Amino acid sequence: FVIDKRHLWHGSGSADANSSNRLVSEGAEYYKKGKYEKAIELFDAAIRYYSNNPEAFYNRGVVKLKQLDNAGACDDFKRAFLLGDSDAMNAMAKTCK
């Protein structure tokens, strides 16, 4: 087992981080328009680019809540929390039963 340091989230501004952040922003716009499936696709893509992006997991959890997928949302909020997203703890308290 080897940790690939290229994919650690440091907010470093690398190409992967920039691509991931761009996809999170695009996904948020689709979420605002009520296009949840497209938002999920973009958050998934953001996670593929940078697997330790807490915002991608948190936002995907928010969309899953809208889709009434509480178990999936809980998992995403837990991952976001473990990656350092401070809002994720409140979301976990409300979602994870």
Side-chain angles (χ1 to χ4, degrees):
F1 178 75
V2 176
I3 295 176
D4 183 352
K5 293 182 181 175
R6 292 177 303 148
H7 297 288
L8 293 178
W9 178 256
H10 295 295
S12 63
S14 72
D16 285 347
N18 290 336
S19 296
S20 181
N21 290 335
R22 180 183 51 78
L23 290 165
V24 169
S25 294
E26 288 178 27
E29 291 302 315
Y30 278 99
Y31 169 77
K32 291 175 189 174
K33 295 175 185 176
K35 297 181 178 184
Y36 302 137
E37 292 300 322
K38 183 64 177 176
I40 292 271
E41 286 177 27
L42 289 165
F43 296 138
D44 287 345
I47 291 166
R48 282 192 301 275
Y49 268 100
Y50 225 62
S51 61
N52 290 333
N53 184 335
E55 290 84 10
F57 284 105
Y58 181 84
N59 288 328
R60 189 172 71 175
V62 170
V63 176
K64 287 180 179 181
L65 271 181
K66 284 286 190 184
Q67 295 178 320
L68 303 177
D69 178 5
N70 286 4
C74 178
D75 288 343
D76 281 343
F77 292 144
K78 285 179 182 178
R79 287 178 142 193
F81 175 72
L82 291 173
L83 292 170
D85 190 300
S86 59
D87 294 328
M89 180 173 264
N90 290 335
M92 285 172 21
K94 294 176 184 175
T95 307
C96 304
K97 306 284 182 202

